[in-house]
Amino acid sequence: MVFSSILFLFRFMPIAFIVYYLTPRRYKNLVLFIESIIFYSWGEVRLFPIMALAILINYTAGLGMDKFAHSKRARLFFLIYSIVGSIGMLMFFKYTNFFITNINALLGTSIATLSLTLPLGISFYTFQTMSYSIDVYRGDVPTEHNLIDFGAYVVMFPQLIDGPI
């Protein structure tokens, strides 16, 4: 779904706003999270697990850094876990075929390239979730203990597909 489409402008957005503003304050982030998942999944439902995995990796990294706040080594482990997990997914989807093609060209092999679809917004949410983990590690922001709030922060539909970084 594109922001300028009739479907978004005259169906999704008005319904999303109405539901959001009618929802009690306590559940607003849940509604925003659900609406954003619907928006993202409209065209990429089979790739939503990739985003969910990125959310879980960085959410658990933040929780781990919070739990082991007294241990610099443990905090560093969770930061590395966040970076490797996040960048690993991004590299896999963006560069796997590039590497296969170059290996084939260099070594004369015929390794088949993979039929990969680049998940919508993967660069954006990868760097957004990773920056959260880095900020938690540095102590710039407190750890988010609510998965729904963290998920809403990551997948909020008005910012998710705003464009390339």
Side-chain angles (χ1 to χ4, degrees):
M1 187 177 334
V2 180
F3 287 142
S4 59
S5 71
I6 299 295
L7 177 64
F8 177 80
L9 291 172
F10 295 108
R11 292 201 180 139
F12 182 83
M13 188 174 64
I15 292 169
F17 281 155
I18 290 168
V19 170
Y20 179 81
Y21 285 111
L22 291 177
T23 300
R25 185 177 206 48
R26 178 178 181 177
Y27 300 109
K28 285 193 183 291
N29 277 351
L30 176 62
V31 167
L32 186 60
F33 183 58
I34 292 168
E35 289 172 345
S36 296
I37 288 171
I38 292 168
F39 176 80
Y40 183 84
S41 296
W42 195 269
E44 296 282 339
V45 71
R46 67 186 175 83
L47 296 174
F48 178 73
I50 306 302
M51 179 191 286
L53 183 59
I55 291 169
L56 287 174
I57 286 171
N58 289 280
Y59 175 72
T60 57
L63 291 177
M65 285 184 257
D66 187 52
K67 181 174 181 164
F68 297 100
H70 61 282
S71 171
K72 182 105 171 140
R73 182 176 226 144
R75 290 173 57 77
L76 182 61
F77 167 80
F78 283 105
L79 178 64
I80 291 169
Y81 157 72
S82 164
I83 292 171
V84 169
S86 298
I87 295 292
M89 285 190 296
L90 181 63
M91 295 283 292
F92 177 77
F93 283 98
K94 282 193 134 181
Y95 299 110
T96 297
N97 285 333
F98 171 77
F99 288 125
I100 291 173
T101 303
N102 283 296
I103 289 169
N104 285 340
L106 286 171
L107 303 176
T109 58
S110 59
I111 302 169
T113 56
L114 304 176
S115 178
L116 295 174
T117 303
L118 187 65
L120 182 64
I122 190 169
S123 295
F124 180 80
Y125 65 75
T126 295
F127 292 118
Q128 184 178 25
T129 56
M130 215 169 52
S131 71
Y132 160 78
S133 294
I134 292 167
D135 286 346
V136 168
Y137 176 78
R138 294 187 327 195
D140 294 342
V141 297
T143 301
E144 178 56 62
H145 292 274
N146 185 320
L147 181 59
I148 299 298
D149 291 349
F150 182 69
Y153 160 72
V154 174
V155 301
M156 192 175 84
F157 71 86
Q159 71 177 358
L160 184 61
I161 63 165
D162 198 22
I165 296 174

